[in-house]
Structures are given as structure tokens and as C-alpha cells.
Amino acid sequence: MKNIKISRKDHKNEMRLFLEFEYDKELIALTKSLPDAIWSQTNKAWHVPDESGMKNTLFATFKGKAWLDFTAINDTAAAKKSGNETVKTNAPRSALPELPENSNRKTEDFVSWMRSKRYSERTIKTYKESISLFLRYFADKPVEEIENRDLVKFNNEYILKNKYSSSFQNQVVNAVKLFFSKVENRQLDIELIHRPKREHRLPNVLSKNEIQGILKASQYNIKHHAMLSLIYSCGLRRSELINLTPADVDAERGLLIIRNAKGKKDRVVPLSQKTIILLRECYKENRTEKWLFEGWKKGEKYSDRSLEEVLKKSIKLAGINKPVTLHWLRHSYATHLLEAGVDLRYIQELLGHKSSRTTEIYTHVSTKQLQQIKSPFDDLDL
């Protein structure tokens, strides 16, 4: 049986689980299927988030394929003990008990209910992991006996104590609320877990010169160039680009059809002639079978992680020292449209926003009007 050594390390201020094993195509393919799996060139190993349910996910993914060696993690935990005194540290989520059989069955019922309501697979996965975490925390207590005060206990002794983010807290609260309402047919007073206020951060926007630098830097590979160009020129989300098929490109009318996007909505965005020409050239060199952009294996979608690596390489070649993500290209598209005088209502439709309030955030980062404001400092006689 193949062996995978697992260790816990801090990577860019985030705890990650590193998977070390000898080169093996099957293990690499399985690792790539893990959520947010990243290859570290420095450590020569793959790593995944050290988060709720990841240990169970690893066991399920590599079952029958490889042994998982957690010795390094266990030794690290033991090393934190000094004499009779134990150093107080935040316990990793994987330290919680396994999910009891009854709770596991109810969790699967929850998943079945969500699928029957056609929740997206991403939402199902997120909610399943969240409710599993909550029920593992109360593994010694039957689900039927969990009550309002347990919500307060979980919030104070697990979420707040371990300093988890407000978004994670809201995610768990939403999952717990839905689970008890639909599976247990009873309401818990969710308001007892005080929801943190949402952080309202401004979107990150690149200048047109920076966008041009990134896209020029990607010209070393026509497929990479076409993918990044399409994200910016149409304001696409990463998943929207990856799910495109050749049939979604209406070259005759100059339109791109985005199907089943966020919120299960279709929308149409204009395609520039420059983009159409680029897509034709890309297709001539990379004739795909099913998806507009495919990975190294015919018929398979281009992977999220590979797309991020494409952007990372282009940023480096362009000499841009900013933590640019693919979503920055979408933000930049919206902001540049606004600065060009496009009505906010049209931008809302192009981005697929349900509410105009979501789109209005770009008015706070547009510099067109701000640059015309004269500072009173300029009037001082200094």
C-alpha cells in the first residue's frame, strides 16, 4: 500500500495540511480532487486547508489507495506538553470526535433534502461540513436533545474561543438553522448565536495598464491568454469560465451565453470582436470535445487550481507586486465600465447581480469623479 505522510504547517498565515508522497499519477489525481488543493514548489508537496471535516475527506478520498500517516501531527501535539503543564493552544477541528452513527444518518438525510431542492453541490458540501462539525462537537449528546443553550455553548466555547472568522460563524449558523428546521422539524433560536456584522470591504481594482500588463504576459500560451482575456472582457467568475462550452459562444451576434451561473441564472454578455478572434485562434490550436477550455485530459474541465496558477505566472511576468486573484479581473471589468459611463443598471445585468446594492459598491472605487475633486490643501499659500 502506498504511503502519504501528513504534517501541519503555517503557509502564508494559514494553517495547512501538507501531503508528502512519492510521485504517483493516481495519488496526484486524487489529491487534485480535494478542496483547495495547492502544489507548493518550495516544499515539493501538495497542501490542503486544515479545516472542519478535512481529515474525514482525506480518509474517504484515499481509502484503499494509500495509508495516511498522521505521526508528524500527533508528535507535534505531544511536544507541546512541558512537564505536568500543558501549553494551551487552539485545538484543531480534526480533534473533535467522529460523527456518531445516528448523527451521520441524519446528516445524510439533510444532504438528500438539499439535493431534492436542487441546492448547488458546493452549497451542499459546505452545509454538510458545517452541520457535521456542529454535531461532532455534541457527539456525546443525542441530536434530539440539543437545545438552545447548546447553541450558545458552541458559539462561545468553539467558534469564539478558536477565533474563527465571522463568515465561518455565519456559515455554521445557516447550516444549523436549516438542518433543525428541515430534518428535525423544530426551530432553534438562532438569534442566541449573535451573528457578527458582515465586513464591508471595497473590491480590489487594477488599472487598465496593469490589466494590459497581465494579459500581455499571458501571451506565451494562447489558451492561457484566451482564458484571462475572457474573464476580464466579460466580467466572468472563475466557475463561469470553466463551465463554458463552445456552444455558449455566439460569434455571429457577438454574445457569450453564461448558463446556470450563481443563483441558477442564465445571462448574456457582449463579446468584442477582438475576443472572438482570439477564441477562434485558441480553438484552432486546442480543439476541445466538450468544454471551451479543457485540461491536459480531453473531455475534462480546466481545473480551478491550474487557472489560478496561470494568473500567478502572468502576474509575476508582468512585474506586479499585488496579491491579485481572478476575481480582481471581474472587479476591474465592472469598475472600468462604470468609469466609461455605462449605466449601473446595465453593469448589474452584465455581472449577474441579484441586487443593485451589490453593484453599487463599484461607485466607491471608481476614480473618475474623485480625480476631479480639488483638495483644499491646494489653495493654501505654502
Side-chain angles (χ1 to χ4, degrees):
M1 184 79 74
K2 302 160 189 174
N3 188 70
I4 300 178
K5 181 181 177 182
I6 299 176
S7 59
R8 181 180 288 113
K9 300 178 184 177
D10 182 82
H11 180 74
K12 296 182 179 178
N13 296 319
E14 178 187 355
M15 293 307 295
R16 308 277 295 185
L17 295 179
F18 279 75
L19 285 63
E20 299 177 55
F21 53 87
E22 293 184 3
Y23 180 82
D24 183 280
K25 288 185 177 180
E26 183 180 25
L27 293 187
I28 291 174
L30 289 172
T31 303
K32 285 183 176 180
S33 71
L34 294 169
D36 196 22
I38 303 174
W39 169 255
S40 170
Q41 189 63 36
T42 304
N43 293 280
K44 303 295 182 184
W46 291 89
H47 56 94
V48 295
D50 180 17
E51 62 183 18
S52 166
M54 183 55 73
K55 189 174 180 180
N56 290 339
T57 300
L58 291 173
F59 279 123
T61 301
F62 296 105
K63 184 178 181 180
K65 302 294 183 181
W67 292 106
L68 300 183
D69 181 4
F70 286 90
T71 305
I73 292 178
N74 296 334
D75 287 348
T76 301
K80 292 189 176 190
K81 293 184 178 180
S82 177
N84 295 324
E85 182 181 338
T86 302
V87 179
K88 292 183 179 180
T89 58
N90 291 337
R93 300 176 193 172
S94 56
L96 292 175
E98 293 298 320
L99 199 62
E101 183 178 348
N102 182 51
S103 298
N104 185 59
R105 186 173 63 254
K106 288 178 178 291
T107 301
E108 292 304 321
D109 290 342
F110 185 41
V111 169
S112 297
W113 181 86
M114 287 190 286
R115 287 214 169 95
S116 73
K117 292 296 182 180
R118 298 196 176 187
Y119 280 61
S120 71
E121 285 303 316
R122 177 170 292 184
T123 300
I124 291 173
K125 179 178 179 296
T126 299
Y127 276 26
K128 180 183 179 182
E129 289 179 351
S130 297
I131 196 62
S132 295
L133 172 67
F134 180 78
L135 296 179
R136 284 172 64 199
Y137 186 81
F138 295 104
D140 59 345
K141 188 171 188 176
V143 177
E144 295 79 9
E145 295 180 12
I146 293 177
E147 52 191 356
N148 286 330
R149 63 182 179 181
D150 292 321
L151 292 174
V152 179
K153 180 180 180 180
F154 179 77
N155 186 48
N156 293 333
E157 297 182 10
Y158 190 81
I159 292 180
L160 298 181
K161 181 180 177 180
N162 289 308
K163 299 179 180 179
Y164 292 130
S165 68
S166 58
S167 60
F168 173 74
Q169 181 176 341
N170 276 319
Q171 173 185 301
V172 175
V173 169
N174 290 335
V176 170
K177 180 180 180 180
L178 190 63
F179 173 82
F180 278 91
S181 171
K182 302 303 179 182
V183 177
E184 292 298 294
N185 295 316
R186 60 191 176 97
Q187 296 287 343
L188 292 184
D189 191 353
I190 297 300
E191 296 309 315
L192 290 175
I193 295 186
H194 301 293
R195 289 178 181 262
K197 289 185 178 180
R198 285 184 174 272
E199 298 174 343
H200 294 283
R201 297 184 179 181
L202 293 177
N204 295 292
V205 176
L206 297 165
S207 69
K208 287 187 177 181
N209 285 336
E210 288 173 321
I211 291 289
Q212 181 171 287
I214 292 172
L215 297 184
K216 279 190 173 181
S218 68
Q219 289 178 330
Y220 63 89
N221 181 301
I222 191 168
K223 185 198 291 186
H224 296 173
H225 182 52
M227 289 190 295
L228 295 183
S229 297
L230 197 56
I231 288 178
Y232 171 70
S233 66
C234 294
L236 303 182
R237 299 179 178 95
R238 173 175 55 185
S239 60
E240 292 172 348
L241 176 92
I242 290 173
N243 289 321
L244 287 173
T245 67
D248 296 329
V249 180
D250 189 340
E252 187 173 339
R253 293 195 297 159
L255 299 173
L256 181 69
I257 305 168
I258 303 162
R259 305 181 192 278
N260 201 25
K262 190 174 181 179
K264 297 187 179 296
K265 295 185 298 183
D266 293 353
R267 72 178 190 275
V268 176
V269 295
L271 263 179
S272 71
Q273 282 304 308
K274 285 174 63 176
T275 308
I276 292 172
I277 292 171
L278 177 58
L279 290 176
R280 281 174 176 160
E281 292 176 353
C282 180
Y283 185 74
K284 287 178 183 177
E285 289 194 19
N286 304 274
R287 292 189 177 274
T288 56
E289 296 178 353
K290 183 177 180 180
W291 308 102
L292 186 60
F293 300 107
E294 295 180 349
W296 62 273
K297 192 172 182 180
K298 284 287 185 181
E300 289 191 359
K301 294 180 186 178
Y302 205 85
S303 74
D304 290 13
R305 184 54 54 195
S306 296
L307 184 56
E308 289 178 0
E309 290 299 323
V310 168
L311 176 65
K312 189 182 297 184
K313 183 175 181 180
S314 298
I315 294 166
K316 186 176 181 180
L317 290 173
I320 296 175
N321 297 314
K322 293 180 180 180
V324 182
T325 67
L326 291 164
H327 218 64
W328 285 33
L329 302 184
R330 176 175 158 89
H331 289 323
S332 301
Y333 164 80
T335 306
H336 296 164
L337 283 179
L338 186 62
E339 292 175 343
V342 177
D343 188 271
L344 205 62
R345 173 61 184 167
Y346 289 120
I347 297 176
Q348 178 187 344
E349 291 294 328
L350 293 173
L351 295 178
H353 287 162
K354 183 177 181 180
S355 169
S356 60
R357 292 174 61 184
T358 308
T359 317
E360 286 169 4
I361 194 170
Y362 295 108
T363 61
H364 300 295
V365 290
S366 173
T367 61
K368 185 175 182 180
Q369 300 300 325
L370 290 176
Q371 289 173 343
Q372 296 176 8
I373 298 175
K374 183 180 179 182
S375 170
F377 179 80
D378 295 337
D379 296 328
L380 301 180
D381 186 14
L382 297 176

